[in-house]
Amino acid sequence: MVPGFDPQDEMDLRVPFPIMRGLIRFFAERKTGVTLDWVRPVDDIARISPRPVLLIQGLADGMVPLNSAQRLYDAARAPRQLWEEKDVPHLNMYAYYKTRYTKRVLKFFDEYLLK
């Protein structure tokens, strides 16, 4: 799942009226057959160790809570890397930092995936 860590936190961010959250959750779970409690990467990310994890988040992200990548990073085990930048909106890290993005991702691949 990308990029969120807890769908309930995302619902809290996106649905400004708390009374609506329960209704939306009920109908979403009924329609999909999946409970939001099953979709919590923050609870599972540690289990993929020793596989490497690279988390990237712009801190002007209006789509997910701003601490999403940090919480995933904190829950993950080594090897792990976190890259955050101010003033970058959701899914725009590459658009804002093409050269740096390419270098960081390739360096990560070289370091962990080509061994």
Side-chain angles (χ1 to χ4, degrees), residues 24-63:
I24 292 169
R25 181 175 178 157
F26 172 78
F27 286 110
E29 289 177 348
R30 185 173 175 173
K31 178 82 172 165
T32 64
V34 175
T35 176
L36 289 182
D37 295 332
W38 296 348
V39 186
R40 291 181 37 88
V42 73
D43 295 338
D44 297 318
I45 195 166
R47 289 188 223 163
I48 67 171
S49 179
R51 291 176 207 87
V53 175
L54 172 60
L55 300 160
I56 301 170
Q57 184 172 15
L59 297 177
D61 193 327
M63 301 297 285

Side-chain angles (χ1 to χ4, degrees), residues 3-5 9-10 13 56-72 82-90:
F5 66 94
D9 288 343
E10 291 186 36
L13 176 71
I56 301 170
Q57 184 172 15
L59 297 177
D61 193 327
M63 301 297 285
V64 298
L66 295 180
N67 66 350
S68 296
Q70 183 65 55
R71 287 184 59 186
L72 284 166
L82 173 62
W83 177 27
E84 297 176 317
E85 292 287 345
K86 293 176 14 177
D87 303 323
V88 178
H90 188 68

